[in-house]
Amino acid sequence: MYMETKVKSILNRLKIRDNWFLVDYSVNPFMGCALNCIYCYIHGSKYGGEDTSNLKIKTNAAEVLYRQLKNRAKKREYGFVGLGSSTDPYPPIEEDLQITRELLKIIYRFKFPVNVTSKSTLILRDLDLLRKIDEKAILPENLKNKLKHGVIVSFSFSTVDPYLAGIFEPGASTVEERLETMKKFKQEGFLVGANLMPLLPFLSDSEEDLDKMIGKMKEYGAEFVLVGGLTLFGDKKSDCKVRYYNALKEHFPDLLRPTKELFGNSFAPSRTYQHKLAVLSRKIASKHNIRTNILEK
Ligand code: SF4
């Protein structure tokens, strides 16, 4: 089920470049996300709040992006467009509607680079178009010497355990399918990487878990991994904090208390936890000879 909506703007210019994902712009083809990950921050945070049962299709997305990107191209304000920061750009409905594909055609038309993030194998459908963007995109001046690609293909994982993924990412393609898709893009010559976020406390954030995850990413062609911890927001039934704790109660009741203690009254675990995760991920990434940033130089 989905609803339709019209938007006035679809191209969001960031105040400053997001140096983690290298994006200067973000575009979300949909409102809400059909993949329905239990931990998804758009439920309850200031970044979203839409219920997944209310996935909204932006019916005029293509015409609005055309107008806005044409303007930016005229001023030569080139920068990576992050496709799908608050929604996966490849929900099942995309197979019929092809909204994301239309947006990619416009991105290609105006020669903008793009960072596409997904948990779906449907991205394979657009490999041809992404290849053309990769060849033709104009990079921002200050990235030209540091990057050889106009397309970054990023796959997200919070775990590589199929059982955990089935619980926490019920609408995503399976872990195996995502890994195989990443491998395919790598074989086709793309710059690919993995967003290992959010790592799930006590479930996928140990040294052993990270070693296994990062090793797998390397094995399947990722050139970089970006690692991030879990954030939990909101007190409503549909908010991610409530949904996450309910999932723990149902599947891992012993972890409910320690997880709540880890978060305390905050939306994120302590700085010490974050720091430990960052140090650990750098150490393990280095062991597997994989970057913890996108840039090639
Ligand atoms: S795929 Fe991303 S945006 Fe969609 S529900 Fe999962 S975490 Fe949220």
Side-chain angles (χ1 to χ4, degrees), residues 28 32-43 52 84-89 117-120 156 168-172 197-198 243:
N28 287 297
C33 181
L35 268 55
N36 205 14
C37 306
I38 298 290
Y39 50 70
C40 179
Y41 71 98
I42 67 170
H43 307 293
T52 46
S85 54
S86 301
T87 185
D88 194 293
T117 302
S118 185
K119 288 187 177 118
S120 168
S156 303
F168 291 99
E169 304 164 341
M197 54 181 82
R243 296 179 76 210

Side-chain angles (χ1 to χ4, degrees), residues 4-26:
E4 294 184 350
T5 188
K6 283 195 187 267
V7 289
K8 289 200 176 101
S9 169
I10 193 162
L11 183 70
N12 172 43
R13 170 111 203 205
L14 276 58
K15 285 196 187 95
I16 48 164
R17 176 177 299 150
D18 181 326
N19 277 324
W20 225 20
F21 299 103
L22 291 189
V23 298
D24 290 296
Y25 301 93
S26 67

Side-chain angles (χ1 to χ4, degrees), residues 30 71 108 126 210:
F30 308 95
N71 243 332
Y108 171 59
D126 291 339
L210 263 173

Side-chain angles (χ1 to χ4, degrees), residues 271-290:
R271 277 172 189 229
T272 317
Y273 172 95
Q274 316 278 6
H275 180 69
K276 230 170 108 185
L277 203 57
V279 172
L280 195 57
S281 55
R282 279 199 295 271
K283 182 181 113 182
I284 297 172
S286 149
K287 172 183 153 191
H288 289 285
N289 195 20
I290 186 167

